[in-house]
Amino acid sequence: MTVQKNAFLMFSKPPIPGLVKTRLTTMHDGPFTPLQASTLFHRMMFDVLECTMQALDRLEEQNKREREADPTVPKRVYDVFVSTTPHKHVEKMREIFEKGQSWPREIHIIEDHGKVFDDHFDDAFQQIFDQGYETCISVGGDIPIMPRDHIIDAYNCLHEFQKRYPTGGMVLAPCQAGGTSLVGYTHNCGMNHQTVYYNLDGRPALQAYLDKGREAGDIPMALLEPVGDVDNIEDFAHVISVVNALEYASQFQDVFVPHRTLEFIRAFGLKVTTPPNRNFDSREEIDE
């Protein structure tokens, strides 16, 4: 039986006050103390991992059905990695995931290296590919509204590319401001992260990936719907609205509700407001 190994990778700092989500704190005109901001990040990160593990369960169940119908389909396994840096943070991250929370899947903690973030990204991906994994999909820990189906669709796109193209391909989901919320590719597609995040010409990350895909010979690419992460208070306001909508929709739709993030929102009584809209409809004379 052929076994195909697939990896999920989350880059993250440990949720230490003053280290994470500082743009949400009073030091940068945000509403939270450093401790509150780190608590929020801790909750968002755990929501991302729970959502992902549910997605991986569904992917393995899907693969089981496929193999029952066609024994030539490879058995696919999906493993979870969290990458952090520097070395002193590795044990801290391991402690965070082992304390007060049992996880249905093992979380492998690795340390990424490099001079710039592009190097760190490449190093973590390569560590995983060197262990025999054929695909790797990465998201950040600050995207609690990442849909479960995005994770499933991302892997399915890569598996389809593996069947259709010798080198497989890549999958992207945009975030706000021209960035990316999900990046994944097959081990032999020819993609890397150089000049994506550390660049001197102001090129957005999403455009950088597109350019690199073309330069490498039109690497097959799948694009998912945009999902916003949380960098500043405006981003978090968007997340508050979406999390509330997910909770409501979950009564009627199979969606993941980031309940830890929702509990934080409820505990602080957070609500999103906008300036009153007193603009008259430009059609008022026609309507009259």
Side-chain angles (χ1 to χ4, degrees):
M1 178 177 59
T2 302
V3 177
Q4 183 195 85
K5 296 168 64 177
N6 305 277
F8 172 85
L9 172 64
M10 185 175 76
F11 284 93
S12 179
K13 301 174 184 177
I16 297 173
L19 184 65
V20 295
K21 297 303 155 195
T22 56
R23 281 183 280 179
L24 300 179
T25 67
T26 53
M27 296 184 296
H28 297 276
D29 298 323
F32 303 123
T33 67
L35 176 59
Q36 291 166 344
S38 67
T39 300
L40 170 61
F41 179 71
H42 194 158
R43 288 173 170 267
M44 293 192 296
M45 180 175 63
F46 274 30
D47 279 338
V48 171
L49 283 173
E50 181 180 347
C51 176
T52 296
M53 290 185 184
Q54 289 184 14
L56 301 186
D57 287 345
R58 295 189 180 197
L59 281 161
E60 290 181 349
E61 282 297 321
Q62 170 189 292
N63 178 240
K64 180 180 178 181
R65 294 191 298 270
E66 291 172 345
R67 290 188 292 112
E68 289 172 350
D70 181 1
T72 66
V73 173
K75 179 180 179 180
R76 298 189 177 107
V77 296
Y78 300 85
D79 294 326
V80 176
F81 291 81
V82 173
S83 190
T84 192
T85 195
H87 181 71
K88 65 180 181 179
H89 287 162
V90 173
E91 284 305 315
K92 181 65 176 177
M93 290 295 280
R94 186 171 287 114
E95 175 187 332
I96 287 168
F97 290 119
E98 291 176 353
K99 183 179 180 181
Q101 169 81 50
S102 60
W103 296 96
R105 291 174 179 267
E106 183 178 359
I107 300 174
H108 304 273
I109 311 295
I110 63 175
E111 177 187 355
D112 50 90
H113 306 85
K115 293 183 178 180
V116 296
F117 189 62
D118 298 339
D119 298 337
H120 286 268
F121 227 130
D122 280 343
D123 181 65
F125 267 67
Q126 194 59 52
Q127 287 185 54
I128 288 169
F129 290 145
D130 286 346
Q131 296 180 52
Y133 289 87
E134 295 188 26
T135 71
C136 182
I137 287 173
S138 174
V139 306
D142 58 353
I143 315 176
I145 58 174
M146 175 65 68
R148 186 173 49 211
D149 284 349
H150 260 40
I151 305 296
I152 296 171
D153 291 345
Y155 282 108
N156 283 336
C157 287
L158 293 186
H159 297 328
E160 183 63 26
F161 286 151
Q162 287 177 303
K163 289 189 291 184
R164 294 169 56 188
Y165 304 100
T167 57
M170 63 176 173
V171 59
L172 302 171
C175 66
Q176 65 274 42
T180 56
S181 57
L182 179 150
V183 178
Y185 50 81
T186 53
H187 69 106
N188 57 342
C189 77
M191 178 55 67
N192 59 50
H193 308 278
Q194 292 301 308
T195 74
V196 172
Y197 300 99
Y198 181 74
N199 68 81
L200 302 178
D201 58 6
R203 181 175 58 170
L206 179 61
Q207 186 61 52
Y209 281 118
L210 301 181
D211 293 344
K212 289 174 69 68
R214 293 189 183 98
E215 293 163 4
D218 288 334
I219 295 174
M221 188 197 78
L223 185 67
L224 305 178
E225 291 292 323
V227 185
D229 59 8
V230 179
D231 287 330
N232 54 47
I233 197 62
E234 290 80 10
D235 298 338
F236 186 49
H238 172 71
V239 164
I240 291 173
S241 296
V242 174
V243 169
N244 286 329
L246 285 169
E247 184 200 26
Y248 184 89
S250 67
Q251 302 173 86
F252 317 100
Q253 184 183 13
D254 182 21
V255 293
F256 176 80
V257 179
H259 55 93
R260 298 174 185 84
T261 306
L262 179 62
E263 288 169 0
F264 182 94
I265 293 168
R266 293 278 170 79
F268 281 86
L270 300 175
K271 296 182 180 180
V272 178
T273 62
T274 61
N277 181 6
R278 296 187 175 89
N279 293 327
F280 287 101
D281 189 335
S282 60
R283 290 170 48 88
E284 70 271 11
E285 294 182 1
I286 299 176
D287 291 340
E288 289 176 358

